[in-house]
Structure formats: structure tokens, C-alpha cells
Amino acid sequence: MCGIVAYIGHREAYPILIKGLHRLEYRGYDSAGIALLNGNLQVFKCKGKVSNLEKFTEGKSKSGTIGIGHTRWATHGEPNDVNAHPHYSESKNMVMIHNGIIENYAPLKEQLKKRGHTFTSETDTEVLIHLIEDIQQSDNLKLGDAVRVALNQVVGAYAIVVLSKTNPDELLAAKKGSPLVIGIGKDEFFLASDATPIVEYTKNVVYLEDGEIAFIPRKGELKIKTISNKAVTPYVQELQIQLEALEKGGFDHFMLKEIYEQPRSIKDSMRGRLLPDKGIINLGGIVEYEQKFLNAKRILIVACGTSWHAGLVAEYLFEDLARIPVEVEYASEFRYRNPIIYEDDVVIAISQSGETADTLAAIELAKSKGATIIGVCNVVGSTIARTTHAGSYTHAGPEIGVASTKAFTAQVTVLTLMALQIAHRKGVVPESRFHQLISELDLVPEKVERVLKTNEQIKYIADSYKNSRNFLYLGRGYSFPVALEGALKLKEISYIHAEGYPAAEMKHGPIALIDHEMPVVVIATKGASYEKVVSNIQEVKARKGKIIAVVTEGDTIVKSLADFTIEIPEVDEIIVQLISVIPLQLLSYHIAVMRGCNVDQPRNLAKSVTVE
Ligand code: AGP
């Protein structure tokens, strides 16, 4: 996600800002920029790496002891020079950097256009800085008050820093939903999205809280107010952890950090799209193509790896809810088997990186036959995203760990919204069911938070099976793709052979593998096929298999049969996969760590397979 740095004090700002942006590169980004105030307000920004920005500023005057810097992870608007931050206000007398999503930026932009504002970028950020200046000018307010009034009109998440030519001895910062840290030096202040750019200058920091605005002076005391204008006493903490740990947010590995980010990343994938108060789902990116879905005789889904597992969930969702036939294809097979493709086919291409060669080739093939291509990608402006006709970004933020975790749950969330939106548009899902599922989805982030609390229990289970040579993962219905995903997680980071299977398929072969050395992970949550899964568990037990079961809270039947049970909150069975996958991610993580494997960069694997 985006990275923010800012400085005000007695030193030259540029070197501090550039170094700070390098420190934030690990967060993932696609463009970078800096603004400096030295009488004039200078903005340098460009697409690409921070090193590109440094080249871009070579030979240019970069003086100034106050400035802001930003690495952009695109959410609204392609990665390019114009959309890069900082963004100017209308008068070009102030600039702003922003991390987050302003959900109501479109109506605000329309209002401002009617008041004569002109915009150069596609971003939500530019709208906010124009709004701040419009309010300051029309209500004749101080900058800090204008920021406060503007933020009371904003819906969404933000961490912002504002720099104004007419306010050369103060930075304004505000936070809601996205992180912002203030480092307190001697007659100088540092700001950043996390402490990594700050820790080398000072260990005294203030973590801004949601709904707070900070007034950061060149000299003197830091002041904080809430957006309801109440003074807040800054709570200064002393940083304890070192730089390397900070990049992982205090976690030992990026993968664990990303597993724990899932309550937020799932929420972000629904932000502005699931509106429970209004009882609507609105994936704006596919609205113009809804009719294509309604006319389609079938949906094809092309993907690889974990994304293919998300596609399998989507098959169950679209057929179950929208009553549209679905075929899920491994992109690498689809592209070469001379498939039948109809012009009225809708193809959903799923890819975290948006750069997977096989998926891209499958898209090109389907496109050449006249099919409509809908993308579900995590990287804005990626090749696959730009090759599709339309789509919905997953907004999971950058996924650094090679083993996909938060991207999977974000993909499944977006696909669930998509299937529900199409089913509702088609009129084949009862209103009561539609609204019940909207409410259930809204509760998912909180339920994921609860499941993460089973981490220590899962670590204990991992210790019992870390030396196993084989694992079997079983699930039925919506939990079958989760069984496949759990097996993939384990094998790709712990190098233990693991297979996912439909639970009922066991009798057609895999049951021959069961013995006292075979751990069998079973997703046995409440649902239509629960009793059948219990029978499968009994078959495993009869052959001395070791059973690790994921069950619905309060389950006693499976508990009496399994060697270990992991309880998850009750949830509708068509969205259970968003919750039941979490324990499997943690199980694979802990086993891999106990086996001394390189969890974030497993052997032989790449984060994005851009070659065949
Ligand atoms: C999953 O943990 C792996 N990293 C891999 O299977 C991955 O899902 C696959 O390579 C597809 O990548 P994509 O989603 O970026 O297209």
C-alpha cells in the first residue's frame, strides 16, 4: 500500500525524504513523488521506482527544510506521472499526500467542478486537497480548521499530510483507517506510514489515532485535535523494535503479517462496494458489463495456483447463486488445448500479480475469439488488468510473501460480491437471502479477527505434525477449494507433500494412503454436507489416520472423533471459506517455520510466474 514520509525542522528535507521513501519500498508501490517548500512549492513525481525519482530530480534545486514524500500503490487511476502524489490544490499553493481510499470522492469531485475546480489526475487524493482549499477560501478558515471541516465530509480511509506555501512553518496531518506515525526530534519532526523511515533519527514517536489531526510546527510543541475539534494530549512512546523487524510490522515474516492483515484487507476489498446500510452491492467496475453476464450461456474462469482455487470457489458461487454454468480452467492447460470459446462467453481472469504468463495468454486467446474478459487483480495497472475489458481490483495491498494468503481471501471476497451482484441483477436470488448474505459478509472481518486468536493452538498442532511426510486435506462443497488451498500452502512453504481432495473422493483411492502416520486435515464446518463429512472422518479414524478438523464453534460430534479441532465462528456455508482458510494458512506457516524453511521466499518459487 502507499507510503508516506514528511519532514519539518532545521535540516535539508530532500535527503531525509528520499531515504525515507527507500525505507518504505518494501510496502510495494508503482510511482513516487516529493514536494519541497523553499519560498516556492516544488513538486517532483514520476511513475516507477524511487531511483527513477532521484534521477528525475538530478540537477534541479531541491532545497527546503520542510517537505513531503509518497510512494503510491494505485487504487484509483493508473500508475503514471500525473496520478503520482503529491497532488496540488486548485491554486497550486498547497499540496497533499494520501494513503487510503476516499469512497465518496466522485460526488465531491462533481461538486468542486461545479465550483470551477479543474483536475489533472484520476485520483481521489486530488479531490480531497481541492476540497480543503475550497473550504479554506470560502469559509475563510485557517488551514487546520479547513482540513477538519473537509474530513468531516469524507467517507473512507486516509492518512494525509498537507503542505501549504502560505503556512511554511507547519505541516498538517490526519489519520483514519490508514497508519501515520510522528517522530519527535529536537526542533524537528518526522512523519511516516510506519516507523521504518523514522527510527534512525528518533525513537520517540506518537501513533496518530483514527479521527485525529496533528499540527506539526517547525519549532515548539506538537498539537493534536480530533475532527470534532477536541484537544488530545499526544501519547509519546519509545520505539523498541529494530528497523528490519519494523518492515514486517513486528511480525517474523511477511507471510504472517499478511495473514494478520486479512481483517483489514477483506474490509478494504468490500470498501465502497458492500453497503449493508443500504442493502446493496456495487462493484462499479463491472456495471457496464452486467448484461454480458446475463446474456452469457456460461462463464469461463482462467487462473493459476491459489488464484485457480479462488476460481473454483467462484464456480460454486456463480452456479449456486446466479444459476450461470461455470467452467474453471488452469490457464496453462486452457491456452494450449484448442478450447471451444463462444463470443457470448464471459471469462473471469483471476491474478494477484496481474503478470502471470499463462493467465495472460489464456486471456489473449479468449479475447481473440470475441469473449468478454473480466479481471480480478490485486495490482492496479498490471498487464492482465490492462488487457481485460473490465474488472474489479481486490485492494488487498501489496502481498510480499510468495505464498498467497490475503490475496486469496480478497479474491474470494470480490468474487462473492460479483456473484451476488449478478444474481441480484438477474433476479434469481430471493431478496431475504440477498440481504442476509450482505449482513454475513459485513461480519467477516470481525470473524477473521476472532479466528486469528487460535494461532497459539495451531502452533501447538503444528509442532505435533511438523515431521510428517504427507498430509491429506479434505473438504466438501465450498470447502473443497479450501482443502486444495490448504494443501498448496503447506507444500509450497514446508516442502511436505500434501494433497487436497473432495472428502467423498477418499473412497476412490486416497483412503489407501491412510495410516497412523497420515495427518488428515478436514474442514468439517456446519452445512448441508456436515453429516457426510463426519462419516468421512469416521472412515479415516477407522484406519488410524490422525485427524485435524476445522469445525464450527460449539461442535461436539467432530470433537469426539478428531485428534485436534480448531473452532471457527458460525458463518453461512457459502462464505465459510473466508474464515476456514485462516487456520490452514497458520498451520502451514508454523510447520514451515519449525522446519527451518524460508517462509517468505520458498525454494524454486517466484511471487509472479511471468514465464511459461
Ligand atoms: C500461491 O501461494 C502461489 N504463490 C502461486 O500458486 C500463485 O497463486 C500463482 O502463481 C498465481 O499467481 P497470480 O495470482 O499472481 O496470477
Side-chain angles (χ1 to χ4, degrees), residues 303-308 350-356 359 384 399 401-405 407 411 485 488-489 492 605-609:
C304 302
T306 286
S307 298
W308 186 89
I350 307 169
S351 175
Q352 188 286 128
S353 62
E355 301 300 339
T356 300
T359 307
I384 287 175
E399 188 174 66
V402 165
S404 191
T405 51
Q411 288 167 347
E485 176 58 11
L488 174 61
K489 285 289 94 50
E492 71 174 321
L605 288 177
K607 182 58 188 170
S608 174
V609 184

PDB file of all heavy atoms in Angstrom, residues 303-308 350-356 359 384 399 401-405 407 411 485 488-489 492 605-609, ligand 1:
ATOM      1  N   ALA A 303      -7.058 -19.118 -14.441  1.00  0.00           N
ATOM      2  CA  ALA A 303      -6.164 -18.673 -13.366  1.00  0.00           C
ATOM      3  C   ALA A 303      -5.119 -19.758 -13.111  1.00  0.00           C
ATOM      4  O   ALA A 303      -5.180 -20.829 -13.740  1.00  0.00           O
ATOM      5  CB  ALA A 303      -6.962 -18.395 -12.090  1.00  0.00           C
ATOM      6  N   CYS A 304      -4.220 -19.495 -12.182  1.00  0.00           N
ATOM      7  CA  CYS A 304      -3.190 -20.470 -11.795  1.00  0.00           C
ATOM      8  C   CYS A 304      -3.112 -20.516 -10.273  1.00  0.00           C
ATOM      9  O   CYS A 304      -3.460 -19.554  -9.602  1.00  0.00           O
ATOM     10  CB  CYS A 304      -1.824 -20.062 -12.334  1.00  0.00           C
ATOM     11  SG  CYS A 304      -1.784 -19.896 -14.112  1.00  0.00           S
ATOM     12  N   GLY A 305      -2.651 -21.614  -9.746  1.00  0.00           N
ATOM     13  CA  GLY A 305      -2.316 -21.731  -8.318  1.00  0.00           C
ATOM     14  C   GLY A 305      -3.447 -21.334  -7.392  1.00  0.00           C
ATOM     15  O   GLY A 305      -4.601 -21.730  -7.571  1.00  0.00           O
ATOM     16  N   THR A 306      -3.088 -20.520  -6.432  1.00  0.00           N
ATOM     17  CA  THR A 306      -4.088 -20.078  -5.447  1.00  0.00           C
ATOM     18  C   THR A 306      -5.239 -19.351  -6.121  1.00  0.00           C
ATOM     19  O   THR A 306      -6.402 -19.490  -5.729  1.00  0.00           O
ATOM     20  CB  THR A 306      -3.397 -19.179  -4.408  1.00  0.00           C
ATOM     21  OG1 THR A 306      -2.613 -20.010  -3.547  1.00  0.00           O
ATOM     22  CG2 THR A 306      -4.387 -18.400  -3.576  1.00  0.00           C
ATOM     23  N   SER A 307      -4.930 -18.591  -7.158  1.00  0.00           N
ATOM     24  CA  SER A 307      -5.997 -17.861  -7.865  1.00  0.00           C
ATOM     25  C   SER A 307      -6.961 -18.838  -8.528  1.00  0.00           C
ATOM     26  O   SER A 307      -8.151 -18.556  -8.642  1.00  0.00           O
ATOM     27  CB  SER A 307      -5.382 -16.913  -8.901  1.00  0.00           C
ATOM     28  OG  SER A 307      -4.568 -15.966  -8.218  1.00  0.00           O
ATOM     29  N   TRP A 308      -6.437 -19.999  -8.919  1.00  0.00           N
ATOM     30  CA  TRP A 308      -7.315 -21.015  -9.504  1.00  0.00           C
ATOM     31  C   TRP A 308      -8.253 -21.557  -8.424  1.00  0.00           C
ATOM     32  O   TRP A 308      -9.427 -21.799  -8.666  1.00  0.00           O
ATOM     33  CB  TRP A 308      -6.467 -22.149 -10.104  1.00  0.00           C
ATOM     34  CG  TRP A 308      -7.256 -23.171 -10.853  1.00  0.00           C
ATOM     35  CD1 TRP A 308      -7.585 -23.152 -12.180  1.00  0.00           C
ATOM     36  CD2 TRP A 308      -7.830 -24.373 -10.316  1.00  0.00           C
ATOM     37  NE1 TRP A 308      -8.342 -24.265 -12.491  1.00  0.00           N
ATOM     38  CE2 TRP A 308      -8.497 -25.027 -11.368  1.00  0.00           C
ATOM     39  CE3 TRP A 308      -7.847 -24.981  -9.053  1.00  0.00           C
ATOM     40  CZ2 TRP A 308      -9.170 -26.241 -11.211  1.00  0.00           C
ATOM     41  CZ3 TRP A 308      -8.507 -26.186  -8.876  1.00  0.00           C
ATOM     42  CH2 TRP A 308      -9.163 -26.801  -9.946  1.00  0.00           C
ATOM     43  N   ILE A 350      -8.348 -14.369 -13.007  1.00  0.00           N
ATOM     44  CA  ILE A 350      -8.001 -14.040 -11.606  1.00  0.00           C
ATOM     45  C   ILE A 350      -6.486 -14.089 -11.455  1.00  0.00           C
ATOM     46  O   ILE A 350      -5.855 -15.095 -11.807  1.00  0.00           O
ATOM     47  CB  ILE A 350      -8.646 -15.044 -10.634  1.00  0.00           C
ATOM     48  CG1 ILE A 350     -10.158 -15.141 -10.880  1.00  0.00           C
ATOM     49  CG2 ILE A 350      -8.370 -14.642  -9.171  1.00  0.00           C
ATOM     50  CD1 ILE A 350     -10.830 -16.296 -10.138  1.00  0.00           C
ATOM     51  N   SER A 351      -5.914 -13.021 -10.940  1.00  0.00           N
ATOM     52  CA  SER A 351      -4.457 -12.997 -10.766  1.00  0.00           C
ATOM     53  C   SER A 351      -4.054 -11.945  -9.740  1.00  0.00           C
ATOM     54  O   SER A 351      -4.403 -10.776  -9.888  1.00  0.00           O
ATOM     55  CB  SER A 351      -3.752 -12.678 -12.085  1.00  0.00           C
ATOM     56  OG  SER A 351      -2.367 -12.546 -11.882  1.00  0.00           O
ATOM     57  N   GLN A 352      -3.360 -12.330  -8.707  1.00  0.00           N
ATOM     58  CA  GLN A 352      -2.854 -11.382  -7.710  1.00  0.00           C
ATOM     59  C   GLN A 352      -1.886 -10.413  -8.364  1.00  0.00           C
ATOM     60  O   GLN A 352      -2.092  -9.218  -8.294  1.00  0.00           O
ATOM     61  CB  GLN A 352      -2.150 -12.141  -6.570  1.00  0.00           C
ATOM     62  CG  GLN A 352      -1.725 -11.327  -5.376  1.00  0.00           C
ATOM     63  CD  GLN A 352      -0.503 -10.429  -5.625  1.00  0.00           C
ATOM     64  OE1 GLN A 352      -0.572  -9.244  -5.347  1.00  0.00           O
ATOM     65  NE2 GLN A 352       0.592 -10.949  -6.183  1.00  0.00           N
ATOM     66  N   SER A 353      -0.885 -10.949  -9.030  1.00  0.00           N
ATOM     67  CA  SER A 353       0.177 -10.102  -9.596  1.00  0.00           C
ATOM     68  C   SER A 353      -0.270  -9.375 -10.864  1.00  0.00           C
ATOM     69  O   SER A 353       0.241  -8.326 -11.218  1.00  0.00           O
ATOM     70  CB  SER A 353       1.393 -10.962  -9.935  1.00  0.00           C
ATOM     71  OG  SER A 353       1.003 -11.928 -10.935  1.00  0.00           O
ATOM     72  N   GLY A 354      -1.216 -10.010 -11.570  1.00  0.00           N
ATOM     73  CA  GLY A 354      -1.616  -9.438 -12.850  1.00  0.00           C
ATOM     74  C   GLY A 354      -0.546  -9.600 -13.918  1.00  0.00           C
ATOM     75  O   GLY A 354      -0.590  -8.933 -14.950  1.00  0.00           O
ATOM     76  N   GLU A 355       0.431 -10.492 -13.667  1.00  0.00           N
ATOM     77  CA  GLU A 355       1.537 -10.665 -14.626  1.00  0.00           C
ATOM     78  C   GLU A 355       1.780 -12.126 -14.998  1.00  0.00           C
ATOM     79  O   GLU A 355       2.730 -12.428 -15.685  1.00  0.00           O
ATOM     80  CB  GLU A 355       2.829 -10.085 -14.026  1.00  0.00           C
ATOM     81  CG  GLU A 355       2.757  -8.609 -13.671  1.00  0.00           C
ATOM     82  CD  GLU A 355       2.455  -7.668 -14.850  1.00  0.00           C
ATOM     83  OE1 GLU A 355       2.685  -8.094 -16.016  1.00  0.00           O
ATOM     84  OE2 GLU A 355       1.987  -6.536 -14.617  1.00  0.00           O
ATOM     85  N   THR A 356       0.961 -13.036 -14.521  1.00  0.00           N
ATOM     86  CA  THR A 356       1.185 -14.470 -14.768  1.00  0.00           C
ATOM     87  C   THR A 356       1.043 -14.789 -16.246  1.00  0.00           C
ATOM     88  O   THR A 356      -0.017 -14.566 -16.842  1.00  0.00           O
ATOM     89  CB  THR A 356       0.209 -15.297 -13.924  1.00  0.00           C
ATOM     90  OG1 THR A 356       0.442 -14.984 -12.549  1.00  0.00           O
ATOM     91  CG2 THR A 356       0.403 -16.785 -14.145  1.00  0.00           C
ATOM     92  N   THR A 359      -1.866 -17.082 -17.544  1.00  0.00           N
ATOM     93  CA  THR A 359      -3.187 -16.441 -17.433  1.00  0.00           C
ATOM     94  C   THR A 359      -3.341 -15.373 -18.510  1.00  0.00           C
ATOM     95  O   THR A 359      -4.389 -15.257 -19.149  1.00  0.00           O
ATOM     96  CB  THR A 359      -3.357 -15.833 -16.024  1.00  0.00           C
ATOM     97  OG1 THR A 359      -3.088 -16.855 -15.054  1.00  0.00           O
ATOM     98  CG2 THR A 359      -4.754 -15.268 -15.804  1.00  0.00           C
ATOM     99  N   ILE A 384      -2.289  -7.843 -16.903  1.00  0.00           N
ATOM    100  CA  ILE A 384      -3.585  -8.534 -17.031  1.00  0.00           C
ATOM    101  C   ILE A 384      -4.720  -7.533 -16.828  1.00  0.00           C
ATOM    102  O   ILE A 384      -5.693  -7.502 -17.589  1.00  0.00           O
ATOM    103  CB  ILE A 384      -3.670  -9.711 -16.038  1.00  0.00           C
ATOM    104  CG1 ILE A 384      -2.770 -10.858 -16.530  1.00  0.00           C
ATOM    105  CG2 ILE A 384      -5.107 -10.182 -15.830  1.00  0.00           C
ATOM    106  CD1 ILE A 384      -2.658 -12.034 -15.604  1.00  0.00           C
ATOM    107  N   GLU A 399       1.244  -7.886  -1.666  1.00  0.00           N
ATOM    108  CA  GLU A 399       1.470  -9.164  -0.988  1.00  0.00           C
ATOM    109  C   GLU A 399       2.924  -9.551  -1.256  1.00  0.00           C
ATOM    110  O   GLU A 399       3.300  -9.870  -2.389  1.00  0.00           O
ATOM    111  CB  GLU A 399       0.507 -10.226  -1.527  1.00  0.00           C
ATOM    112  CG  GLU A 399       0.549 -11.521  -0.738  1.00  0.00           C
ATOM    113  CD  GLU A 399      -0.522 -12.497  -1.194  1.00  0.00           C
ATOM    114  OE1 GLU A 399      -0.430 -12.965  -2.337  1.00  0.00           O
ATOM    115  OE2 GLU A 399      -1.448 -12.773  -0.411  1.00  0.00           O
ATOM    116  N   GLY A 401       4.932 -11.877   0.683  1.00  0.00           N
ATOM    117  CA  GLY A 401       5.206 -13.316   0.838  1.00  0.00           C
ATOM    118  C   GLY A 401       4.817 -14.067  -0.423  1.00  0.00           C
ATOM    119  O   GLY A 401       3.750 -13.791  -1.000  1.00  0.00           O
ATOM    120  N   VAL A 402       5.692 -14.996  -0.841  1.00  0.00           N
ATOM    121  CA  VAL A 402       5.401 -15.743  -2.090  1.00  0.00           C
ATOM    122  C   VAL A 402       4.119 -16.554  -1.934  1.00  0.00           C
ATOM    123  O   VAL A 402       3.317 -16.660  -2.850  1.00  0.00           O
ATOM    124  CB  VAL A 402       6.595 -16.652  -2.444  1.00  0.00           C
ATOM    125  CG1 VAL A 402       6.186 -17.691  -3.491  1.00  0.00           C
ATOM    126  CG2 VAL A 402       7.766 -15.824  -2.954  1.00  0.00           C
ATOM    127  N   ALA A 403       3.905 -17.109  -0.782  1.00  0.00           N
ATOM    128  CA  ALA A 403       2.686 -17.887  -0.557  1.00  0.00           C
ATOM    129  C   ALA A 403       1.518 -16.919  -0.384  1.00  0.00           C
ATOM    130  O   ALA A 403       1.509 -16.085   0.504  1.00  0.00           O
ATOM    131  CB  ALA A 403       2.825 -18.753   0.690  1.00  0.00           C
ATOM    132  N   SER A 404       0.540 -17.051  -1.251  1.00  0.00           N
ATOM    133  CA  SER A 404      -0.567 -16.094  -1.271  1.00  0.00           C
ATOM    134  C   SER A 404      -1.546 -16.378  -0.134  1.00  0.00           C
ATOM    135  O   SER A 404      -1.976 -17.507   0.054  1.00  0.00           O
ATOM    136  CB  SER A 404      -1.285 -16.215  -2.618  1.00  0.00           C
ATOM    137  OG  SER A 404      -2.182 -15.168  -2.773  1.00  0.00           O
ATOM    138  N   THR A 405      -1.877 -15.346   0.620  1.00  0.00           N
ATOM    139  CA  THR A 405      -2.821 -15.514   1.740  1.00  0.00           C
ATOM    140  C   THR A 405      -3.922 -14.458   1.652  1.00  0.00           C
ATOM    141  O   THR A 405      -5.042 -14.760   1.274  1.00  0.00           O
ATOM    142  CB  THR A 405      -2.060 -15.371   3.078  1.00  0.00           C
ATOM    143  OG1 THR A 405      -1.292 -14.158   3.034  1.00  0.00           O
ATOM    144  CG2 THR A 405      -1.139 -16.551   3.321  1.00  0.00           C
ATOM    145  N   ALA A 407      -4.310 -12.200  -0.498  1.00  0.00           N
ATOM    146  CA  ALA A 407      -4.804 -12.029  -1.874  1.00  0.00           C
ATOM    147  C   ALA A 407      -5.916 -13.032  -2.153  1.00  0.00           C
ATOM    148  O   ALA A 407      -6.923 -12.706  -2.792  1.00  0.00           O
ATOM    149  CB  ALA A 407      -3.666 -12.204  -2.870  1.00  0.00           C
ATOM    150  N   GLN A 411      -9.603 -12.059  -3.153  1.00  0.00           N
ATOM    151  CA  GLN A 411     -10.176 -12.549  -4.421  1.00  0.00           C
ATOM    152  C   GLN A 411     -11.541 -13.188  -4.168  1.00  0.00           C
ATOM    153  O   GLN A 411     -12.527 -12.888  -4.848  1.00  0.00           O
ATOM    154  CB  GLN A 411      -9.246 -13.592  -5.057  1.00  0.00           C
ATOM    155  CG  GLN A 411      -7.968 -13.029  -5.652  1.00  0.00           C
ATOM    156  CD  GLN A 411      -6.946 -14.118  -5.974  1.00  0.00           C
ATOM    157  OE1 GLN A 411      -7.067 -15.274  -5.544  1.00  0.00           O
ATOM    158  NE2 GLN A 411      -5.911 -13.752  -6.716  1.00  0.00           N
ATOM    159  N   GLU A 485      -6.484 -25.358  -1.300  1.00  0.00           N
ATOM    160  CA  GLU A 485      -5.640 -24.203  -0.953  1.00  0.00           C
ATOM    161  C   GLU A 485      -4.778 -24.508   0.266  1.00  0.00           C
ATOM    162  O   GLU A 485      -3.597 -24.180   0.307  1.00  0.00           O
ATOM    163  CB  GLU A 485      -6.528 -22.975  -0.728  1.00  0.00           C
ATOM    164  CG  GLU A 485      -5.803 -21.740  -0.266  1.00  0.00           C
ATOM    165  CD  GLU A 485      -4.701 -21.249  -1.200  1.00  0.00           C
ATOM    166  OE1 GLU A 485      -4.609 -21.747  -2.342  1.00  0.00           O
ATOM    167  OE2 GLU A 485      -3.896 -20.409  -0.763  1.00  0.00           O
ATOM    168  N   LEU A 488      -1.926 -26.661  -0.834  1.00  0.00           N
ATOM    169  CA  LEU A 488      -0.931 -25.903  -1.595  1.00  0.00           C
ATOM    170  C   LEU A 488      -0.059 -25.063  -0.660  1.00  0.00           C
ATOM    171  O   LEU A 488       1.155 -25.017  -0.769  1.00  0.00           O
ATOM    172  CB  LEU A 488      -1.619 -24.997  -2.623  1.00  0.00           C
ATOM    173  CG  LEU A 488      -0.697 -24.045  -3.390  1.00  0.00           C
ATOM    174  CD1 LEU A 488       0.349 -24.809  -4.190  1.00  0.00           C
ATOM    175  CD2 LEU A 488      -1.495 -23.129  -4.309  1.00  0.00           C
ATOM    176  N   LYS A 489      -0.693 -24.408   0.322  1.00  0.00           N
ATOM    177  CA  LYS A 489       0.064 -23.595   1.286  1.00  0.00           C
ATOM    178  C   LYS A 489       1.137 -24.442   1.962  1.00  0.00           C
ATOM    179  O   LYS A 489       2.284 -24.065   2.077  1.00  0.00           O
ATOM    180  CB  LYS A 489      -0.880 -23.015   2.352  1.00  0.00           C
ATOM    181  CG  LYS A 489      -1.746 -21.870   1.889  1.00  0.00           C
ATOM    182  CD  LYS A 489      -1.025 -20.574   1.652  1.00  0.00           C
ATOM    183  CE  LYS A 489      -0.572 -20.291   0.279  1.00  0.00           C
ATOM    184  NZ  LYS A 489      -1.330 -20.359  -0.906  1.00  0.00           N
ATOM    185  N   GLU A 492       4.006 -25.676  -0.498  1.00  0.00           N
ATOM    186  CA  GLU A 492       4.895 -24.682  -1.125  1.00  0.00           C
ATOM    187  C   GLU A 492       5.826 -24.003  -0.126  1.00  0.00           C
ATOM    188  O   GLU A 492       6.849 -23.448  -0.525  1.00  0.00           O
ATOM    189  CB  GLU A 492       4.095 -23.653  -1.916  1.00  0.00           C
ATOM    190  CG  GLU A 492       3.278 -22.669  -1.117  1.00  0.00           C
ATOM    191  CD  GLU A 492       2.641 -21.604  -2.020  1.00  0.00           C
ATOM    192  OE1 GLU A 492       3.281 -21.147  -2.977  1.00  0.00           O
ATOM    193  OE2 GLU A 492       1.492 -21.244  -1.756  1.00  0.00           O
ATOM    194  N   LEU A 605      10.434 -21.125  -5.969  1.00  0.00           N
ATOM    195  CA  LEU A 605       9.193 -20.393  -6.283  1.00  0.00           C
ATOM    196  C   LEU A 605       9.457 -18.910  -6.534  1.00  0.00           C
ATOM    197  O   LEU A 605      10.380 -18.341  -5.974  1.00  0.00           O
ATOM    198  CB  LEU A 605       8.199 -20.529  -5.118  1.00  0.00           C
ATOM    199  CG  LEU A 605       7.543 -21.900  -4.945  1.00  0.00           C
ATOM    200  CD1 LEU A 605       6.647 -21.906  -3.707  1.00  0.00           C
ATOM    201  CD2 LEU A 605       6.723 -22.266  -6.171  1.00  0.00           C
ATOM    202  N   ALA A 606       8.598 -18.302  -7.345  1.00  0.00           N
ATOM    203  CA  ALA A 606       8.643 -16.851  -7.560  1.00  0.00           C
ATOM    204  C   ALA A 606       7.279 -16.295  -7.191  1.00  0.00           C
ATOM    205  O   ALA A 606       6.270 -17.003  -7.263  1.00  0.00           O
ATOM    206  CB  ALA A 606       8.925 -16.544  -9.027  1.00  0.00           C
ATOM    207  N   LYS A 607       7.249 -15.020  -6.829  1.00  0.00           N
ATOM    208  CA  LYS A 607       5.979 -14.410  -6.429  1.00  0.00           C
ATOM    209  C   LYS A 607       5.056 -14.275  -7.646  1.00  0.00           C
ATOM    210  O   LYS A 607       3.860 -14.392  -7.542  1.00  0.00           O
ATOM    211  CB  LYS A 607       6.198 -13.029  -5.807  1.00  0.00           C
ATOM    212  CG  LYS A 607       4.913 -12.362  -5.318  1.00  0.00           C
ATOM    213  CD  LYS A 607       4.194 -13.206  -4.291  1.00  0.00           C
ATOM    214  CE  LYS A 607       2.828 -12.666  -3.926  1.00  0.00           C
ATOM    215  NZ  LYS A 607       2.047 -13.627  -3.111  1.00  0.00           N
ATOM    216  N   SER A 608       5.692 -14.055  -8.804  1.00  0.00           N
ATOM    217  CA  SER A 608       4.855 -13.947 -10.001  1.00  0.00           C
ATOM    218  C   SER A 608       5.538 -14.720 -11.127  1.00  0.00           C
ATOM    219  O   SER A 608       6.684 -14.456 -11.463  1.00  0.00           O
ATOM    220  CB  SER A 608       4.702 -12.469 -10.391  1.00  0.00           C
ATOM    221  OG  SER A 608       4.018 -12.403 -11.621  1.00  0.00           O
ATOM    222  N   VAL A 609       4.811 -15.696 -11.683  1.00  0.00           N
ATOM    223  CA  VAL A 609       5.398 -16.574 -12.716  1.00  0.00           C
ATOM    224  C   VAL A 609       5.157 -15.930 -14.079  1.00  0.00           C
ATOM    225  O   VAL A 609       4.152 -16.155 -14.742  1.00  0.00           O
ATOM    226  CB  VAL A 609       4.771 -17.970 -12.639  1.00  0.00           C
ATOM    227  CG1 VAL A 609       5.437 -18.905 -13.642  1.00  0.00           C
ATOM    228  CG2 VAL A 609       4.904 -18.542 -11.226  1.00  0.00           C
TER     229      VAL A 609
HETATM  230  C1  AGP B   1       0.233 -19.351  -4.278  1.00  0.00           C
HETATM  231  O1  AGP B   1       0.594 -19.284  -2.926  1.00  0.00           O
HETATM  232  C2  AGP B   1       1.420 -19.219  -5.195  1.00  0.00           C
HETATM  233  N1  AGP B   1       2.154 -18.045  -4.908  1.00  0.00           N
HETATM  234  C3  AGP B   1       1.035 -19.364  -6.663  1.00  0.00           C
HETATM  235  O2  AGP B   1       0.313 -20.564  -6.803  1.00  0.00           O
HETATM  236  C4  AGP B   1       0.189 -18.213  -7.249  1.00  0.00           C
HETATM  237  O3  AGP B   1      -1.106 -18.246  -6.714  1.00  0.00           O
HETATM  238  C5  AGP B   1       0.112 -18.416  -8.772  1.00  0.00           C
HETATM  239  O4  AGP B   1       1.422 -18.345  -9.298  1.00  0.00           O
HETATM  240  C6  AGP B   1      -0.779 -17.381  -9.462  1.00  0.00           C
HETATM  241  O5  AGP B   1      -0.234 -16.101  -9.289  1.00  0.00           O
HETATM  242  P1  AGP B   1      -1.143 -14.837  -9.652  1.00  0.00           P
HETATM  243  O6  AGP B   1      -2.332 -14.878  -8.746  1.00  0.00           O
HETATM  244  O7  AGP B   1      -0.262 -13.654  -9.399  1.00  0.00           O
HETATM  245  O8  AGP B   1      -1.555 -14.953 -11.086  1.00  0.00           O
END
